[in-house]
Amino acid sequence: MSRCDNRAMKRILIIGCAGSGKSTMARKLQKILDIPLIYLDLLWHLPDGSHVSQEEFDKKLASVLSKEAWILDGNYRRTLKERLERCDTVFLLDLPVEVCFEQAKNRIGKPRPDLPWQETEFDPDFQKWILEFPKKNLPEIKKILKDYGSGKTVFVLHSHQEIEDCLQAIRVLHQFEAADEKENERPDENWIEEDGFY
């Protein structure tokens, strides 16, 4: 796993099992870095529970990827290679499946900014998808990262503590860099002439 910092961190992917905390981490990271946050679920799903066509989704995604900076929250393996080509940083949240399952269960009935409707039941098919994620989905995601993630900074985080520690490291470095930039903007006192004018 790479050391957590925010150097050249402008185009970010956050991926992992449903319930792993992707959206929560994405919001915290957005607050630190102050760059646009895009939920892929909002590009795909409609408020009535249906979804847009693949063509429309791809068009929306291409528009996002053309921008200079973004945080993209969501798996959508079909487009992962395309997103990897444009990103500079990847966070893979690889938490225990039991944790993901419980967190996904606990959010049922609660409003979420990353979904255009409110879930009212823990769908059995969705439960099955989560429980099978470590064996059916995660290996393919890791293979895609290995095959197409060359030159990218990849963080693999396995617990809430690792996520918080990583965010804190990024927060501290971002504050340090912001202070350093502010210091560099100050006039060089060596250029002040005797009469006080520049």
Side-chain angles (χ1 to χ4, degrees):
M1 183 183 74
S2 299
R3 178 176 178 272
C4 287
D5 62 41
N6 65 325
R7 290 172 292 182
M9 193 180 288
K10 293 183 178 180
R11 295 183 296 278
I12 302 163
L13 303 184
I14 302 182
I15 57 180
C17 184
S20 61
K22 298 187 301 297
S23 299
T24 300
M25 181 181 183
R27 287 189 288 273
K28 291 180 178 181
L29 193 58
Q30 193 275 335
K31 188 174 181 180
I32 295 170
L33 300 178
D34 192 27
I35 59 180
L37 166 57
I38 308 297
Y39 300 110
L40 292 181
D41 277 344
L42 292 183
L43 299 186
W44 176 248
H45 292 293
L46 295 172
D48 64 2
S50 62
H51 57 77
V52 301
S53 65
Q54 285 191 0
E55 292 76 13
E56 185 174 351
F57 176 84
D58 291 348
K59 184 177 180 180
K60 291 179 179 179
L61 179 60
S63 177
V64 172
L65 295 179
S66 69
K67 302 296 191 296
E68 186 64 28
W70 34 258
I71 300 169
L72 281 177
D73 162 31
N75 289 318
Y76 291 80
R77 283 177 297 153
R78 184 180 66 84
T79 63
L80 182 53
K81 296 174 186 177
E82 178 184 0
R83 284 176 282 138
L84 278 171
E85 290 178 357
R86 281 288 295 153
C87 80
D88 51 54
T89 307
V90 181
F91 291 93
L92 171 59
L93 306 192
D94 186 14
L95 276 68
V97 68
E98 297 82 7
V99 173
C100 298
F101 188 90
E102 192 64 23
Q103 291 187 160
K105 178 182 178 181
N106 289 340
R107 70 191 184 191
I108 301 298
K110 300 176 182 178
R112 294 167 49 191
D114 55 304
L115 201 63
W117 72 81
Q118 186 168 311
E119 297 170 300
T120 58
E121 62 177 349
F122 198 11
D123 182 75
D125 289 338
F126 188 42
Q127 295 182 40
K128 185 173 182 288
W129 187 88
I130 292 174
L131 293 173
E132 292 178 345
F133 184 88
K135 292 184 177 180
K136 290 189 67 174
N137 296 281
L138 187 59
E140 183 178 348
I141 289 174
K142 288 184 174 180
K143 185 177 187 306
I144 293 174
L145 287 176
K146 181 180 179 181
D147 293 344
Y148 298 91
S150 177
K152 314 299 180 180
T153 301
V154 178
F155 303 100
V156 182
L157 306 174
H158 301 92
S159 67
H160 291 129
Q161 189 60 56
E162 286 190 9
I163 292 172
E164 290 304 318
D165 289 347
C166 187
L167 285 168
Q168 179 60 17
I170 294 170
R171 184 180 294 110
V172 169
L173 284 166
H174 186 69
Q175 292 172 345
F176 176 80
E177 290 182 357
D180 191 51
E181 289 176 3
K182 187 175 182 180
E183 180 68 23
N184 290 336
E185 290 175 358
R186 295 178 58 187
D188 188 345
E189 294 182 357
N190 293 329
W191 290 92
I192 300 179
E193 297 180 358
E194 292 181 1
D195 57 6
F197 294 99
Y198 295 96

